[in-house]
């Protein structure tokens, strides 16, 4: 299952909803990973944005759930705005802050709402002769900040979205490459007995620091040219 909810809306159009959250990451003393709140919101937002955009949808609104404290609201919004700026979009942000009780660790939730025409969904369209690759490296926690150059950038993500011979794009989450590949193949009625890649197949990719793509063999060289050292072929049997 993709981490996206599709809801029939009107005239062949569907609502698309995706969400991401982070906990114990922030500026509080008991947080496990220490990072500024705009950075926390940026990475949480990019996950939800990528999920919605990867299925061919248009973005409409962002919902922010702030469990840090009320004073963090504007800083968190700045992180979301940074995501929007990198994607060259402008959409409204609404949400709520926990103001009744203090929390010992930081927590943030971000939900993105979009729409897509059913006939244009980039889901379940990978053919049997498709090739597969991972773009970016699976990173989590402090690694995301320390090895930022190995994180799939949003500009690269958008460049890959524009490639018409890339069938499907799947943001990789905490369950890793193998899980996302398994889900993608099952959704397309495809089976495999084994797979191999230079990257660790079961490592968490945290805030979608990498994506899985299925593509027509004819565009492999073009994709390699765009992704450069972040291109990792994924072989299945």
């Amino acid at each position: 299952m993709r981490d996206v909810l599709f809801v029939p809306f009107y005239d062949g159009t569907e609502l698309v909803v995706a969400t991401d959250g982070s906990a114990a990451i922030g500026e509080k003393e008991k947080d496990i990973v220490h990072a500024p709140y705009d950075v926390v919101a940026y990475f949480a937002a990019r996950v939800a944005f990528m999920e919605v955009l990867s299925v061919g949808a248009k973005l409409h609104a962002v919902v922010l759930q702030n469990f840090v404290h009320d004073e963090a609201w504007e800083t968190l919004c700045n992180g979301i705005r940074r995501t929007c700026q990198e994607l060259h979009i402008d959409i409204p942000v609404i949400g709520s802050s926990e103001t009744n009780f203090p929390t010992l660790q930081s927590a943030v939730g971000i939900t993105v709402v979009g729409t897509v025409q059913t006939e244009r969904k980039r889901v379940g369209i990978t053919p049997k002769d498709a090739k597969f690759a991972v773009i970016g490296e699976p990173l989590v926690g402090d690694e995301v900040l320390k090895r930022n150059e190995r994180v799939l950038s949003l500009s690269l993500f958008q460049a890959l979205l524009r490639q018409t011979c890339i069938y499907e794009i799947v943001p990789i989450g905490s369950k890793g490459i193998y899980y996302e590949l398994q889900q993608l193949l099952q959704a397309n009625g495809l089976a495999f007995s084994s797979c191999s890649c230079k990257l660790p197949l079961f490592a968490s990719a945290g805030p979608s620091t990498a994506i899985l793509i299925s593509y027509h063999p004819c565009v492999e060289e073009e994709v390699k040219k765009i992704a450069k050292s972040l291109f990792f072929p994924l072989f299945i049997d």
Side-chain angles (χ1 to χ4, degrees), residues 31-132:
D31 285 335
I32 295 173
V33 176
H34 292 274
Y37 286 126
D38 59 330
V39 174
V40 174
Y42 166 78
F43 279 105
R46 68 171 257 147
V47 174
F49 279 47
M50 288 168 65
E51 290 284 2
V52 172
L53 290 170
S54 68
V55 299
K58 179 182 178 181
L59 301 168
H60 292 295
V62 183
V63 181
L64 167 62
Q65 298 293 340
N66 166 28
F67 301 103
V68 180
H69 47 67
D70 196 37
E71 292 76 13
W73 175 266
E74 191 58 33
T75 304
L76 292 168
C77 285
N78 286 339
I80 296 172
R81 293 187 190 104
R82 175 187 162 195
T83 312
C84 291
Q85 289 170 356
E86 291 186 12
L87 291 169
H88 306 289
I89 59 173
D90 183 18
I91 57 175
V93 180
I94 64 167
S96 177
S97 297
E98 174 56 70
T99 58
N100 293 307
F101 304 102
T103 56
L104 298 179
Q105 291 180 308
S106 303
V108 174
I110 293 179
T111 300
V112 174
V113 180
T115 56
V116 67
Q117 292 183 326
T118 302
E119 62 183 20
R120 295 187 178 181
K121 285 166 60 175
R122 295 178 74 169
V123 176
I125 58 172
T126 298
K128 292 181 179 180
D129 62 348
K131 298 188 74 173
F132 302 87

Side-chain angles (χ1 to χ4, degrees), residues 132-155:
F132 302 87
V134 175
I135 312 296
E137 294 188 22
L139 302 169
V140 68
D142 288 325
E143 291 181 323
V144 177
L145 303 178
K146 293 177 180 177
R147 302 182 60 201
N148 190 60
E149 77 283 357
R150 306 307 296 167
V151 174
L152 169 83
S153 68
L154 290 177
S155 60

Side-chain angles (χ1 to χ4, degrees), residues 213-232:
I213 65 170
S214 62
Y215 61 94
H216 192 288
C218 73
V219 297
E220 181 163 281
E221 291 307 313
E222 181 64 24
V223 174
K224 284 182 178 179
K225 187 183 298 184
I226 296 171
K228 299 179 181 177
S229 65
L230 294 180
F231 179 90
F232 298 89

